[in-house]
Amino acid sequence: MASSDPYPVSLSSLHFPSAEQSLSQTLASLRRSALSVSNRLRSIETDAQFVHDVADHYGLPLVANERCGSWYIPPESKAGSAYFKSTDGHTGQWDFSFRRLNLQILPIARDHGGCIIVDSTRRGKLMPDALSKTVPIWCAVMNRALFPLDTAYHAVQFPPDYLGPSEESQIERRIDGFVHALKALKLDIEGLRQSLGRPIKIAWANRTYLYPDDLHKGDGYNLFVLCSASKRVHGAEMSEGGYIQGAGDDSESWAHGLTPPVFWENKSTLLATDEEDLPNLIQDLIIKQSTQKVGQEAVLVAPTRNLYISRTSNLPTDGDGYDLVIDCNATPQGPEGSAKRLNLGCGSAKLGSRDLRKSLDRVKDFVNAKLVSNPAQSLLVTCETGKDLSAGAVLAILCLFYDDNGKFVGPQSQYMDKQFIRQRLAWIVTSKHDVNPSRSTLQSVNAFLMQRPDY
């Protein structure tokens, strides 16, 4: 019979609270406190001052490596954006991105003698892989492709004593292949050479050093300064008195929707607000900003004369001003009352990419029915980001209906391989520099364009 004694009668029946669990919970709480939004914003302010000092030292314009870099540059000081991915610099995965050619920074560098590319990284590293490897790879490719006779600039320029000789050698061996692939896009190499003007020389700026310390702008080259904004932190954040290395990184996980422009416009108010009140304040500021947004014009995809791409919400009206509109996300049951509009009803993320694959036949039929009879009509393609699904739909249209000069010629029956599709993609990314179609979207478009014809 079980004992009814409510008190423990043996040592084994005693239950003590776990000291380890309690300590773990305490440390986790302290870490969350150290990584507060307030600490992040103050850390960003501190790092932005370093970036400002670097700009004064070199006398060069600031270019944000998105998305992290924009946190450290006030909008009025930002000359442009770049999109160099750290993953393209990861060990063994060194790459030159053909989805993000970053050609938009060439004229900035030409006009100012160079630029400062700003980025940051989280605890433990001196600089992100984007600045130690991805950008140096890109610069070497540009120097070799655009200035083949200036061999003094052809070697990959690496930060001092940062990578091992084996990794540097392996990266160096890949550059000629990247150059060949870039030339295969059939871009206007002479035009790009004029856009840049001179070869690129690299310097690095971080809290540990400026290297080379005596290098400044020069007449024979464009100086690209790769600036890592944050101070390197070796220990835990709790040991830094509230300072967070790479505070602007991964903002989706901490910012409550706050963006760099909203931060800089309301910096004093945000920094003076208690932590517990910040989420509500941020929401109020976001709502206020959204009501002040002015619609941006769609971007013409050159060399075509009638094909445009845009984010749906950037349009001040429902596609007015364009003869034809394809909206990748609007539901077919939505405002599709006129013959000039096609709504695809695609979802978001990977689901949206799969939906697009199923919708490309409708895109093909719509363009064929509307533009063949009157190729002068303008066609606007939109999606919720203006970067992914709309880019995929535009890519399919370019491959199916436009010749190598960007002229609408109607349905084409030629065989399409990945190289042909990549050439057309280059038109999009050089026209709208923040376009970034996902791998899933590109796979959907490739599968549609390269499918075996039915006989």
Side-chain angles (χ1 to χ4, degrees):
M1 180 176 177
S3 172
S4 60
D5 190 345
Y7 301 103
V9 294
S10 66
L11 186 62
S12 62
S13 62
L14 292 174
H15 296 281
F16 296 99
S18 169
E20 290 184 3
Q21 182 181 16
S22 177
L23 178 60
S24 174
Q25 291 173 342
T26 301
L27 290 174
S29 177
L30 289 172
R31 187 172 187 274
R32 283 194 299 270
S33 176
L35 293 174
S36 66
V37 177
S38 296
N39 283 349
R40 287 184 181 275
L41 297 182
R42 291 189 178 91
S43 300
I44 288 170
E45 182 186 36
T46 298
D47 294 342
Q49 182 58 52
F50 172 71
V51 171
H52 175 78
D53 293 342
V54 171
D56 280 350
H57 177 77
Y58 287 101
L60 290 170
L62 295 169
V63 173
N65 194 34
E66 304 293 4
R67 291 166 295 181
C68 181
S70 281
W71 286 100
Y72 305 101
I73 308 174
E76 65 272 14
S77 301
K78 180 177 164 183
S81 294
Y83 303 88
F84 294 105
K85 294 171 56 179
S86 280
T87 51
D88 289 334
H90 287 179
T91 302
Q93 301 177 29
W94 314 287
D95 203 1
F96 178 93
S97 175
F98 294 95
R99 285 191 289 168
R100 291 293 181 88
L101 292 173
N102 288 298
L103 302 179
Q104 71 277 8
I105 62 178
L106 300 186
I108 297 174
R110 177 200 62 208
D111 293 343
H112 299 276
C115 63
I116 300 170
I117 299 177
V118 179
D119 202 351
S120 185
T121 190
R122 285 179 279 186
R123 175 166 54 93
K125 296 181 68 174
L126 180 63
M127 68 184 83
D129 286 347
L131 299 187
S132 63
K133 289 177 275 188
T134 307
V135 179
I137 288 171
W138 182 89
C139 291
V141 172
M142 289 295 148
N143 283 344
R144 294 190 195 187
L146 305 186
F147 305 98
L149 300 181
D150 291 315
T151 56
Y153 297 94
H154 285 188
V156 185
Q157 302 166 67
F158 293 110
D161 303 319
Y162 194 75
L163 307 178
S166 175
E167 184 172 11
E168 290 185 356
S169 176
Q170 291 178 73
I171 292 173
E172 186 73 50
R173 288 198 295 269
R174 295 195 180 193
I175 302 302
D176 282 340
F178 297 149
V179 172
H180 177 76
L182 176 64
K183 290 181 176 179
L185 296 180
K186 299 182 179 179
L187 299 173
D188 180 5
I189 294 296
E190 179 57 34
L192 295 178
R193 183 182 298 113
Q194 293 177 8
S195 291
L196 182 56
R198 294 166 291 185
I200 299 168
K201 184 174 284 190
I202 299 179
W204 284 267
N206 52 63
R207 301 296 185 86
T208 302
Y209 56 71
L210 301 182
Y211 177 86
D213 57 6
D214 59 348
L215 184 60
H216 290 273
K217 292 191 293 185
D219 293 334
Y221 55 84
N222 289 307
L223 180 61
F224 277 46
V225 181
L226 310 187
C227 175
S228 187
S230 295
K231 178 179 69 174
R232 186 177 188 179
V233 173
H234 293 280
E237 290 85 357
M238 293 178 291
S239 66
E240 294 297 319
Y243 176 79
I244 301 171
Q245 179 180 352
D249 198 16
D250 194 24
S251 58
E252 294 88 349
S253 67
W254 62 265
H256 300 285
L258 184 67
T259 61
V262 176
F263 164 67
W264 284 104
E265 185 178 349
N266 303 277
K267 178 168 69 74
S268 298
T269 302
L270 287 162
L271 294 178
T273 301
D274 292 336
E275 178 72 20
E276 59 269 22
D277 297 325
L278 276 173
N280 288 335
L281 172 62
I282 289 171
Q283 291 307 308
D284 291 342
L285 295 175
I286 292 171
I287 293 172
K288 178 182 176 182
Q289 187 219 29
S290 66
T291 62
Q292 297 173 345
K293 275 188 176 179
V294 178
Q296 301 175 9
E297 292 186 3
V299 175
L300 174 67
V301 179
T304 78
R305 297 183 178 182
N306 68 329
L307 185 56
Y308 296 82
I309 183 172
S310 173
R311 180 179 178 179
T312 305
S313 61
N314 278 351
L315 300 177
T317 55
D318 191 26
D320 287 353
Y322 301 91
D323 298 311
L324 303 168
V325 177
I326 297 176
D327 189 326
C328 295
N329 298 113
T331 60
Q333 294 75 26
E336 199 172 13
S338 71
K340 77 169 216 172
R341 185 178 183 88
L342 174 66
N343 291 345
L344 300 182
C346 298
S348 301
K350 288 187 177 180
L351 288 177
S353 298
R354 287 198 288 268
D355 292 340
L356 180 66
R357 168 67 180 87
K358 300 172 185 176
S359 301
L360 287 176
D361 273 319
R362 295 169 57 207
V363 171
K364 179 180 178 181
D365 293 343
F366 179 80
V367 174
N368 192 40
K370 303 298 181 181
L371 278 183
V372 169
S373 59
N374 184 5
Q377 294 183 98
S378 59
L379 171 59
L380 171 66
V381 184
T382 74
C383 70
E384 59 189 8
T385 66
K387 302 176 183 180
D388 186 14
L389 298 182
S390 55
V394 168
L395 177 58
I397 294 168
L398 287 172
C399 291
L400 290 169
F401 295 99
Y402 287 80
D403 67 12
D404 289 342
N405 298 313
K407 180 182 178 182
F408 184 89
V409 293
Q412 300 189 79
S413 58
Q414 70 183 85
Y415 171 74
M416 299 179 195
D417 57 14
K418 288 186 177 180
Q419 181 58 39
F420 176 82
I421 297 170
R422 181 182 284 181
Q423 290 170 0
R424 294 296 190 264
L425 177 61
W427 292 1
I428 303 172
V429 299
T430 55
S431 299
K432 191 174 189 294
H433 306 301
D434 63 346
V435 159
N436 187 28
S438 67
R439 187 178 302 275
S440 298
T441 294
L442 292 178
Q443 287 173 342
S444 293
V445 175
N446 286 347
F448 175 78
L449 293 174
M450 296 191 296
Q451 62 187 338
R452 297 176 65 88
D454 295 326
Y455 294 106

